[in-house]
Amino acid sequence: DRIWVGTDQGLATSADGLTWQHYTSGNCGLIRDQIKGIAIEPDNDIWVVTGEQGNGLIGGVGFFDGTTWNFYTSVNSGLPSEQLTDVAIDQNGIIWITCNIGLIKFDGLTWTQYNTGNSGISPGAPREVMVDSLNRVWICNGPNIDIFDGVNWSQINNSVWPVANFNATSMYIRGDKIVLSETTNTSRVMMFDGVNWSWQWTNDFIINSYIDLDGNYWTAGA
């Protein structure tokens, strides 16, 4: 019943859209004020990954149970990278974080890193992570969408997309529908309706993508 908004100046939350509470490095200890990703557990506990504009090497993970914040960095935990881009929670309560060196898994005790050397993840610096209804982890990784079912890795890429050299920077999944977007001055949007792929040009610098409950595809840009 709350709105959570990640900004370049901290994390904002509101129950009614009128009165807002604001969490920053100054009042709660966020590692950095730039929020890269937010994930909400079923019990409403919040996970955020943070960074710093112009300095992607400095960041960390924050956990908020509604009362107390806890923070994880490479100094006080086994977090293997501080260049973090997004966070998601699977159906078993496992935390998944994309970073400059691949994918990070956190089960509450152990930090596990997946990279091209020890897993089937594609080369690159993943931008977004989501968990689908089958509890598979999806990673938006530029020319590849990596899918991890907990044991095996698979990819969706230009071998099935109807245009060449597509480089996804934004992703959303709902049921069997997928939307992918590029971030360029003439961004392309790639859509999967459960059977076929289609695409179109836009005139926007796309920042994010979404599929609503009715199956409509949305993009947000500038």
Side-chain angles (χ1 to χ4, degrees):
D1 60 348
R2 298 192 68 87
I3 303 167
W4 293 90
V5 183
T7 79
D8 284 344
Q9 301 298 325
L11 181 69
T13 182
S14 175
D16 58 12
L18 300 175
T19 303
W20 291 82
Q21 189 170 0
H22 192 200
Y23 298 102
T24 69
S25 56
N27 65 21
C28 79
L30 282 176
I31 306 304
R32 294 295 174 197
D33 284 334
Q34 187 180 42
I35 307 298
K36 298 288 192 177
I38 305 171
I40 304 175
E41 294 196 39
D43 61 1
N44 292 323
D45 291 345
I46 305 297
W47 290 85
V48 297
V49 293
T50 67
E52 182 179 13
Q53 190 69 37
N55 188 354
L57 295 176
I58 300 175
V61 179
F63 170 73
F64 183 53
D65 64 7
T67 302
T68 304
W69 280 94
N70 289 295
F71 299 101
Y72 303 92
T73 68
S74 61
V75 175
N76 67 8
S77 74
L79 182 68
S81 172
E82 293 182 343
Q83 191 172 343
L84 312 175
T85 55
D86 198 16
V87 59
I89 302 171
D90 72 17
Q91 297 168 17
N92 299 316
I94 303 298
I95 310 303
W96 299 91
I97 301 167
T98 45
C99 67
N100 63 313
I101 53 176
L103 180 68
I104 301 168
K105 173 185 175 182
F106 182 52
D107 63 7
L109 295 174
T110 304
W111 301 85
T112 303
Q113 176 187 337
Y114 297 92
N115 55 43
T116 55
N118 66 11
S119 73
I121 194 172
S122 303
R127 299 286 294 271
E128 290 188 349
V129 58
M130 286 193 69
V131 178
D132 68 12
S133 59
L134 299 177
N135 209 33
R136 298 177 301 179
V137 180
W138 292 61
I139 305 161
C140 184
N141 198 6
N144 295 286
I145 303 300
D146 295 312
I147 306 168
F148 182 48
D149 66 5
V151 178
N152 299 308
W153 292 84
S154 58
Q155 282 79 34
I156 299 172
N157 51 40
N158 285 282
S159 65
V160 298
W161 293 331
V163 292
N165 302 317
F166 189 82
N167 191 3
T169 56
S170 176
M171 169 185 70
Y172 198 86
I173 307 159
R174 187 181 292 279
D176 57 1
K177 295 181 182 294
I178 306 168
V179 61
L180 309 170
S181 300
E182 293 179 310
T183 302
T184 63
N185 290 330
T186 52
S187 301
R188 293 176 292 183
V189 180
M190 190 77 64
M191 295 160 286
F192 183 68
D193 63 7
V195 179
N196 298 308
W197 287 95
S198 61
W199 72 281
Q200 68 179 52
W201 290 105
T202 75
N203 294 320
D204 293 328
F205 189 89
I206 298 175
I207 300 170
N208 211 344
S209 306
Y210 186 71
I211 303 173
D212 66 24
L213 292 173
D214 295 322
N216 299 308
Y217 303 92
W218 296 80
T219 61

Short mmCIF file of all heavy atoms in Angstrom, two decimals, residues 30-31 47-50 59-63 69-73 79 81 84 87 95 97 104 106 111:
data_model
loop_
_atom_site.label_atom_id
_atom_site.label_comp_id
_atom_site.label_asym_id
_atom_site.label_seq_id
_atom_site.Cartn_x
_atom_site.Cartn_y
_atom_site.Cartn_z
N LEU A 30 22.38 5.47 3.84
CA LEU A 30 22.53 4.90 2.51
C LEU A 30 23.98 5.04 2.04
O LEU A 30 24.61 6.08 2.26
CB LEU A 30 21.61 5.61 1.52
CG LEU A 30 20.12 5.24 1.49
CD1 LEU A 30 19.39 6.13 0.50
CD2 LEU A 30 19.92 3.78 1.13
N ILE A 31 24.48 4.01 1.39
CA ILE A 31 25.87 4.06 0.92
C ILE A 31 26.06 5.22 -0.04
O ILE A 31 27.03 5.96 0.05
CB ILE A 31 26.25 2.74 0.23
CG1 ILE A 31 25.96 1.54 1.16
CG2 ILE A 31 27.72 2.74 -0.17
CD1 ILE A 31 26.63 1.62 2.50
N TRP A 47 14.69 -3.86 -0.44
CA TRP A 47 16.09 -3.97 -0.82
C TRP A 47 16.38 -2.92 -1.88
O TRP A 47 15.59 -2.75 -2.81
CB TRP A 47 16.40 -5.36 -1.38
CG TRP A 47 16.37 -6.45 -0.34
CD1 TRP A 47 15.28 -7.12 0.09
CD2 TRP A 47 17.49 -6.97 0.37
NE1 TRP A 47 15.63 -8.03 1.04
CE2 TRP A 47 16.99 -7.98 1.24
CE3 TRP A 47 18.86 -6.71 0.37
CZ2 TRP A 47 17.81 -8.70 2.10
CZ3 TRP A 47 19.68 -7.44 1.22
CH2 TRP A 47 19.16 -8.42 2.07
N VAL A 48 17.48 -2.22 -1.74
CA VAL A 48 17.90 -1.24 -2.74
C VAL A 48 19.37 -1.43 -3.06
O VAL A 48 20.15 -1.87 -2.21
CB VAL A 48 17.67 0.23 -2.29
CG1 VAL A 48 16.19 0.50 -2.07
CG2 VAL A 48 18.46 0.56 -1.03
N VAL A 49 19.74 -1.16 -4.31
CA VAL A 49 21.15 -1.05 -4.67
C VAL A 49 21.41 0.39 -5.06
O VAL A 49 20.59 1.03 -5.71
CB VAL A 49 21.53 -2.02 -5.81
CG1 VAL A 49 21.44 -3.46 -5.32
CG2 VAL A 49 20.67 -1.84 -7.04
N THR A 50 22.54 0.90 -4.61
CA THR A 50 22.85 2.31 -4.78
C THR A 50 24.19 2.48 -5.47
O THR A 50 25.04 1.59 -5.48
CB THR A 50 22.89 3.04 -3.42
OG1 THR A 50 24.02 2.56 -2.65
CG2 THR A 50 21.62 2.82 -2.63
N GLY A 59 29.27 1.96 -4.42
CA GLY A 59 27.87 1.68 -4.17
C GLY A 59 27.73 0.59 -3.14
O GLY A 59 28.70 0.12 -2.56
N GLY A 60 26.50 0.15 -2.93
CA GLY A 60 26.26 -0.90 -1.96
C GLY A 60 24.82 -1.35 -1.99
O GLY A 60 24.03 -0.93 -2.82
N VAL A 61 24.49 -2.24 -1.05
CA VAL A 61 23.15 -2.81 -0.93
C VAL A 61 22.55 -2.38 0.39
O VAL A 61 23.22 -2.45 1.43
CB VAL A 61 23.21 -4.35 -1.01
CG1 VAL A 61 21.81 -4.95 -0.86
CG2 VAL A 61 23.85 -4.80 -2.32
N GLY A 62 21.29 -1.93 0.36
CA GLY A 62 20.59 -1.56 1.58
C GLY A 62 19.37 -2.43 1.80
O GLY A 62 18.69 -2.79 0.84
N PHE A 63 19.10 -2.77 3.07
CA PHE A 63 17.93 -3.55 3.44
C PHE A 63 17.18 -2.80 4.53
O PHE A 63 17.76 -2.38 5.53
CB PHE A 63 18.34 -4.93 3.95
CG PHE A 63 17.21 -5.70 4.58
CD1 PHE A 63 16.21 -6.26 3.80
CD2 PHE A 63 17.15 -5.87 5.95
CE1 PHE A 63 15.16 -6.96 4.38
CE2 PHE A 63 16.12 -6.58 6.54
CZ PHE A 63 15.12 -7.12 5.75
N TRP A 69 17.63 0.05 9.05
CA TRP A 69 18.39 -0.16 7.84
C TRP A 69 19.64 -1.00 8.14
O TRP A 69 20.29 -0.82 9.16
CB TRP A 69 18.85 1.18 7.25
CG TRP A 69 17.80 1.92 6.48
CD1 TRP A 69 16.96 2.88 6.95
CD2 TRP A 69 17.51 1.77 5.08
NE1 TRP A 69 16.15 3.33 5.94
CE2 TRP A 69 16.46 2.68 4.79
CE3 TRP A 69 18.01 0.96 4.08
CZ2 TRP A 69 15.93 2.79 3.51
CZ3 TRP A 69 17.49 1.07 2.80
CH2 TRP A 69 16.46 1.98 2.53
N ASN A 70 19.98 -1.90 7.22
CA ASN A 70 21.26 -2.60 7.23
C ASN A 70 21.89 -2.42 5.86
O ASN A 70 21.19 -2.42 4.84
CB ASN A 70 21.07 -4.09 7.51
CG ASN A 70 20.68 -4.35 8.96
OD1 ASN A 70 21.45 -4.10 9.86
ND2 ASN A 70 19.47 -4.85 9.16
N PHE A 71 23.21 -2.28 5.85
CA PHE A 71 23.91 -1.99 4.60
C PHE A 71 25.06 -2.97 4.38
O PHE A 71 25.74 -3.37 5.33
CB PHE A 71 24.43 -0.55 4.60
CG PHE A 71 23.35 0.48 4.73
CD1 PHE A 71 23.09 1.08 5.94
CD2 PHE A 71 22.56 0.80 3.64
CE1 PHE A 71 22.07 2.02 6.06
CE2 PHE A 71 21.53 1.73 3.75
CZ PHE A 71 21.29 2.34 4.97
N TYR A 72 25.25 -3.32 3.11
CA TYR A 72 26.30 -4.25 2.73
C TYR A 72 27.20 -3.61 1.69
O TYR A 72 26.72 -3.05 0.70
CB TYR A 72 25.70 -5.53 2.15
CG TYR A 72 24.72 -6.24 3.06
CD1 TYR A 72 23.37 -5.96 3.00
CD2 TYR A 72 25.17 -7.20 3.97
CE1 TYR A 72 22.46 -6.63 3.84
CE2 TYR A 72 24.28 -7.87 4.81
CZ TYR A 72 22.93 -7.57 4.74
OH TYR A 72 22.04 -8.22 5.56
N THR A 73 28.50 -3.70 1.91
CA THR A 73 29.49 -3.25 0.94
C THR A 73 30.55 -4.35 0.81
O THR A 73 30.49 -5.38 1.50
CB THR A 73 30.17 -1.95 1.39
OG1 THR A 73 30.98 -2.22 2.56
CG2 THR A 73 29.14 -0.87 1.73
N LEU A 79 30.09 -9.03 -0.53
CA LEU A 79 29.62 -8.43 -1.78
C LEU A 79 30.79 -8.30 -2.75
O LEU A 79 31.75 -7.58 -2.47
CB LEU A 79 29.00 -7.06 -1.49
CG LEU A 79 28.40 -6.30 -2.68
CD1 LEU A 79 27.16 -7.02 -3.20
CD2 LEU A 79 28.05 -4.87 -2.28
N SER A 81 31.15 -6.91 -5.74
CA SER A 81 31.29 -5.72 -6.58
C SER A 81 30.50 -4.59 -5.96
O SER A 81 29.52 -4.81 -5.24
CB SER A 81 30.78 -5.98 -8.00
OG SER A 81 30.74 -4.79 -8.76
N LEU A 84 26.85 -1.69 -9.01
CA LEU A 84 25.59 -2.43 -9.04
C LEU A 84 24.58 -1.71 -9.91
O LEU A 84 24.56 -0.48 -9.98
CB LEU A 84 25.05 -2.58 -7.62
CG LEU A 84 26.07 -3.05 -6.57
CD1 LEU A 84 25.45 -3.04 -5.18
CD2 LEU A 84 26.61 -4.43 -6.92
N VAL A 87 18.25 -4.95 -8.73
CA VAL A 87 18.04 -5.99 -7.73
C VAL A 87 16.65 -6.59 -7.91
O VAL A 87 15.71 -5.90 -8.31
CB VAL A 87 18.21 -5.41 -6.30
CG1 VAL A 87 17.23 -4.28 -6.04
CG2 VAL A 87 18.06 -6.51 -5.25
N ILE A 95 18.01 -13.04 -3.06
CA ILE A 95 18.27 -11.73 -3.65
C ILE A 95 19.21 -11.90 -4.84
O ILE A 95 20.25 -12.55 -4.74
CB ILE A 95 18.91 -10.78 -2.61
CG1 ILE A 95 18.11 -10.78 -1.31
CG2 ILE A 95 19.03 -9.37 -3.18
CD1 ILE A 95 16.66 -10.42 -1.45
N ILE A 97 21.28 -9.67 -7.86
CA ILE A 97 21.78 -8.32 -8.15
C ILE A 97 22.63 -8.36 -9.41
O ILE A 97 23.54 -9.21 -9.53
CB ILE A 97 22.62 -7.78 -6.98
CG1 ILE A 97 21.78 -7.72 -5.69
CG2 ILE A 97 23.20 -6.40 -7.31
CD1 ILE A 97 22.60 -7.50 -4.44
N ILE A 104 24.99 -11.45 -9.07
CA ILE A 104 25.28 -11.78 -7.68
C ILE A 104 24.04 -12.39 -7.04
O ILE A 104 22.93 -11.88 -7.20
CB ILE A 104 25.71 -10.54 -6.88
CG1 ILE A 104 26.95 -9.90 -7.50
CG2 ILE A 104 25.97 -10.89 -5.42
CD1 ILE A 104 27.27 -8.53 -6.95
N PHE A 106 22.40 -13.62 -3.29
CA PHE A 106 22.57 -13.51 -1.84
C PHE A 106 21.43 -14.25 -1.17
O PHE A 106 20.26 -13.90 -1.33
CB PHE A 106 22.60 -12.04 -1.42
CG PHE A 106 22.81 -11.84 0.07
CD1 PHE A 106 23.86 -12.44 0.73
CD2 PHE A 106 21.94 -11.04 0.79
CE1 PHE A 106 24.06 -12.26 2.10
CE2 PHE A 106 22.12 -10.84 2.16
CZ PHE A 106 23.19 -11.45 2.81
N TRP A 111 27.28 -14.76 -0.37
CA TRP A 111 27.25 -14.04 -1.63
C TRP A 111 27.90 -14.92 -2.69
O TRP A 111 29.03 -15.37 -2.53
CB TRP A 111 28.02 -12.73 -1.53
CG TRP A 111 27.49 -11.79 -0.49
CD1 TRP A 111 27.80 -11.79 0.84
CD2 TRP A 111 26.55 -10.74 -0.68
NE1 TRP A 111 27.12 -10.79 1.49
CE2 TRP A 111 26.34 -10.12 0.59
CE3 TRP A 111 25.86 -10.24 -1.79
CZ2 TRP A 111 25.47 -9.05 0.77
CZ3 TRP A 111 25.01 -9.17 -1.62
CH2 TRP A 111 24.82 -8.57 -0.36
#
